[in-house]
């Protein structure tokens, strides 16, 4: 996929500004409204164009994937910006002698600061970027989404507003205080798993399905996800276990324990008095008693939960982390870790230990300590007198964190299926293959390159090249020159005539592709032209063999397989060399093969191909994992899909003749090469035989056909003449 260059540039400019301000807190604040407005405008433009594409070529799933591509692109840019600055400082610092200059010291200090505050900086940058995106979603795009994709608009907002996406470590204490609260532990899950198990045990109703779907799942069967581009699935393992590969259908399970709305409905006792009164008025005394019992049950759950937290010594810490967030500033962040301050607020450490654990010995003033102590008194009161309310707020945050972890994993599953292209050669190949999805603004229109939509492949199995090479070497002759002059060069000269592309030409293998482009349907002759080039290759081999006979050299032999695909090929790159990926290559390889045991049995002259099915009782199997045996000596075997395509390319005439007493069905037509010259083509439709007990079954009648491109010049001339 390729995301709008304008959007990418706007994201990077805003991210750079936020990072520079964070790195220089004492510098004069810049007006960042131009960067903010630019990002808002490009995002709105880009998403408006995308949503309207539902009217044309995109379906809902494609639009959703492209939305996530924009999110992944923004997250990738912010992370790469930080990584680039760190790498640049490392390179700069390593190029200087330690302590040799003030600049060197400053570079080392800045490098240390960036690495130490990496997660906090990433959170700050991403929070600013996605704040602008969220505002555009809620103010400008919401109506458009509701009109064209109402079922997915809620999902889009849930992903876009998910704060867990903004950090590289969801268990980081500073992040938890900023967006949730400390969970009361020092383990890699920050204590959340133990807290969540208690939450699930106490608040899952026995009859609820949620009870059987814990957040953390152990010993889950299946293959884990293979890719993890941004490391998100690795992070969720701490809280949810292995992410099992869901293939193409991505999903997460959400239940009542993940719903803040459900928690508020069941445990917001402030509204219970009114609800009880309404129940008694509208439904009577019995309903009132029922609701009252329900209220007592819910209160008891909260009381038990709060009691358990207090017993474990983490209730005050959970409450304190919310209060610390209210007083947290950049200057305090420069002096103390938020987690240590929380432990001071809830009474776990005294003032002396607090001052001893400040950063670089920058102790707090008496006035600041007094402020902390006031917060500590408030926390003490809250945990003693308002336990139910504290527990209520805590379980809401647990539910919210569970939900965001699930959306976080769902988003990263999708990210791992999105390939963001940057290199020009990758983009060009993806365009040609018709696999490039573009997410552009209206002003970024570009003329689409003609994309590939179908292709054919021929694979020539060159036999005897090793023997020829050894014979040439024994005579002190150059095998490379021999094959170049008499085989590869003549083939290369024919490629332009038939529109062939080299996939692989070396040694005993020749693989060529014939591409059909969307905008030139008048040139859709890939199968016919592949047949023409294959015949020319056989003529080259025949001519070469005549020369070899004079030189008393071994003969070459070809077996050619020809396959058609109604899809474009895929391309990978090995450095600057494109590698064609297509199932047609493997199929053509099988069609080009010749089973050794058939060489002395089959004499199909004037034809060169024969195909047999193995009998069910045969213990042996066909070569290369096939259940068919093929004889292909200097022949061209065409797959069924190729013959069907040839019927669309050429007006074929069917002809039944007898050769050597045998009935033969032929299909005859004419096609143009790329230079406009017309060529005759003759296809023999043969019947697949049956192979049993190491022999062909006589008088076997099969309804299955195979197709051979006829190469016998004399027969072709006679057939063509008979039709004129």
């Amino acid at each position: 996929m390729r995301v709008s260059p304008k959007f990418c540039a706007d994201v990077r400019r805003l991210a750079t500004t936020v990072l520079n301000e964070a790195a220089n807190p004492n510098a004069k604040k810049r007006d960042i409204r131009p960067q903010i407005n630019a990002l808002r405008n490009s995002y709105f433009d880009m998403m408006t164009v995308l949503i309207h594409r539902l009217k044309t070529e995109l379906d809902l799933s494609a639009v959703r994937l492209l939305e996530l591509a924009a999110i992944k692109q923004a997250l990738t840019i912010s992370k790469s910006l930080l990584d680039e600055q760190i790498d640049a400082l490392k390179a700069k610092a390593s190029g200087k002698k330690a302590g040799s200059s003030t600049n060197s010291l400053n570079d080392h200090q800045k490098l240390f600061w960036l690495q130490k505050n990496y997660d906090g900086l990433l959170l700050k940058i991403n929070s600013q970027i996605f704040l602008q995106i969220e505002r555009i979603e809620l103010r400008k795009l919401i109506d458009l989404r509701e009109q064209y994709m109402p079922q997915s608009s809620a999902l889009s907002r849930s992903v876009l507003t998910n704060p867990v996406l903004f950090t590289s470590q969801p268990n980081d204490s500073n992040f938890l205080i900023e967006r949730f609260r400390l969970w009361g532990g020092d383990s890699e899950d920050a204590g959340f798993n133990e807290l969540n198990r208690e939450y699930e045990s106490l608040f899952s109703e026995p009859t609820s399905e949620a009870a059987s779907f814990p957040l953390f799942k152990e010993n889950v069967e299946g293959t884990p996800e293979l890719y993890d581009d941004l490391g998100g699935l690795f992070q969720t393992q701490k809280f949810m276990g292995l992410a099992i590969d869901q293939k193409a259908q991505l999903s997460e399970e959400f239940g009542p324990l993940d719903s803040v709305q459900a928690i508020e409905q069941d445990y917001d006792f402030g509204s219970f008095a009114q609800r009880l009164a309404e129940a008694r008025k509208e439904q009577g005394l019995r309903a009132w008693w029922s609701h009252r019992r329900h209220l007592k049950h819910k209160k008891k759950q909260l009381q038990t939960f709060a009691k358990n937290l207090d017993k474990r010594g983490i209730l005050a810490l959970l409450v304190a982390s919310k209060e610390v967030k209210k007083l947290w500033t950049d200057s305090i962040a420069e002096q103390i870790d938020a987690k240590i301050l929380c432990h001071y607020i809830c009474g776990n450490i005294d003032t002396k230990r607090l001052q001893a654990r400040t950063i670089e010995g920058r102790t707090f003033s008496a006035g600041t300590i007094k402020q902390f102590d006031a917060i500590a008194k408030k926390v003490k009161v809250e945990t003693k007198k308002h336990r139910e309310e504290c527990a209520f707020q805590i379980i809401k945050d647990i539910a919210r964190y569970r939900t965001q972890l699930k959306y976080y994993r769902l988003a990263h599953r999708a990210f791992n299926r999105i390939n963001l292209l940057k290199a020009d050669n990758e983009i060009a190949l993806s365009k040609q293959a018709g696999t490039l999805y573009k997410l552009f603004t209206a002003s970024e229109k570009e003329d689409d390159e003609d994309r590939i939509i179908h292709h054919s492949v021929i694979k020539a199995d060159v036999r005897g090249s090793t023997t020829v090479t050894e014979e040439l070497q024994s005579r002190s002759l150059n095998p490379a020159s021999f094959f170049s002059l008499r085989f590869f060069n003549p083939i290369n000269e024919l490629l332009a005539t038939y529109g062939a592309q080299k996939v692989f030409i070396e040694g005993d293998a020749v693989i060529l592709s014939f591409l059909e482009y969307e905008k030139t349907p008048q040139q859709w002759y890939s199968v016919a032209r592949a047949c023409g080039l294959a015949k020319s290759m056989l003529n080259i081999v025949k001519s070469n063999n005549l020369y070899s006979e004079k030189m008393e050299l071994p003969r070459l032999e070809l077996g050619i397989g020809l396959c058609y695909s109604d899809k474009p090929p895929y391309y990978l790159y090995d450095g600057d060399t494109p590698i064609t990926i297509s199932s047609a290559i493997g199929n053509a390889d099988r069609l080009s093969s010749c089973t050794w045991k058939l060489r002395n049995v089959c004499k199909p002259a004037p034809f060169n191909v024969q195909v047999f099915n193995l009998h069910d009782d045969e213990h042996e199997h066909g070569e290369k994992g096939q259940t068919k045996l093929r004889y292909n000596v200097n022949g061209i075997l065409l797959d069924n899909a190729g013959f069907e395509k040839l019927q669309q390319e050429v007006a074929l005439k069917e002809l039944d003749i007898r050769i050597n007493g045998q009935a033969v069905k032929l299909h005859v037509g004419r096609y143009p090469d790329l230079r406009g010259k017309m060529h005759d083509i003759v296809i023999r439709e043969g019947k697949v035989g049956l192979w049993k007990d190491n022999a062909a079954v006589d008088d076997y009648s099969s309804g299955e056909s195979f197709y051979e491109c006829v190469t016998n010049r004399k027969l072709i001339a006679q057939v063509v003449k008979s039709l004129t």
Side-chain angles (χ1 to χ4, degrees), residues 39 219 348 400 686:
L39 176 58
N219 304 320
N348 291 338
R400 189 163 59 90

Side-chain angles (χ1 to χ4, degrees), residues 534-546:
K535 284 168 57 181
S536 297
M537 290 170 63
L538 287 168
N539 289 335
I540 291 169
V541 170
K542 184 177 179 180
S543 175
N544 185 64
N545 285 338
L546 291 174

Side-chain angles (χ1 to χ4, degrees), residues 359-372:
I359 298 170
E360 297 179 354
R362 298 168 58 188
T363 57
F364 294 106
S365 66
T368 303
I369 293 294
K370 187 176 181 180
Q371 183 185 15
F372 293 163

Side-chain angles (χ1 to χ4, degrees), residues 353-415:
R353 291 183 65 188
L354 174 71
Q355 297 283 31
R357 299 185 69 176
T358 56
I359 298 170
E360 297 179 354
R362 298 168 58 188
T363 57
F364 294 106
S365 66
T368 303
I369 293 294
K370 187 176 181 180
Q371 183 185 15
F372 293 163
D373 290 342
I375 298 294
K377 289 180 182 178
K378 181 180 178 182
V379 169
K380 190 173 184 179
V381 170
E382 290 291 319
T383 54
K384 293 294 183 184
K385 296 185 177 180
H386 305 288
R387 280 193 172 189
E388 289 176 8
E389 177 61 25
C390 289
F392 174 56
Q393 298 299 331
I394 290 168
I395 64 172
K396 284 200 298 182
D397 279 344
I398 293 172
R400 189 163 59 90
Y401 194 61
R402 286 167 55 99
T403 300
Q404 304 296 21
L405 282 174
K406 290 182 178 183
Y407 277 124
Y408 176 79
R409 185 166 74 171
L410 183 62
H412 277 277
R413 286 184 189 274
F415 292 161

Side-chain angles (χ1 to χ4, degrees), residues 103-114:
N103 289 338
S104 177
L105 181 61
N106 290 338
D107 290 340
H108 280 288
Q109 289 176 338
K110 187 173 182 181
L111 176 61
F112 175 77
W113 184 85
L114 283 173

Side-chain angles (χ1 to χ4, degrees), residues 521-540:
Q522 69 275 18
Q523 299 294 342
W524 289 0
Y525 291 99
S526 66
V527 175
R529 289 170 179 170
C531 288
L533 182 53
K535 284 168 57 181
S536 297
M537 290 170 63
L538 287 168
N539 289 335
I540 291 169

Side-chain angles (χ1 to χ4, degrees), residues 46 77 88 110 155 271 293 303 345 350 401 492 502 560 603 657 671:
M46 181 175 69
I77 290 170
K110 187 173 182 181
L155 174 62
S271 64
R293 282 195 302 270
Q303 290 167 353
I345 295 295
D350 57 21
Y401 194 61
N492 285 331
K502 286 192 286 187
I560 299 178
K603 301 295 180 183
I657 62 174
Y671 70 93

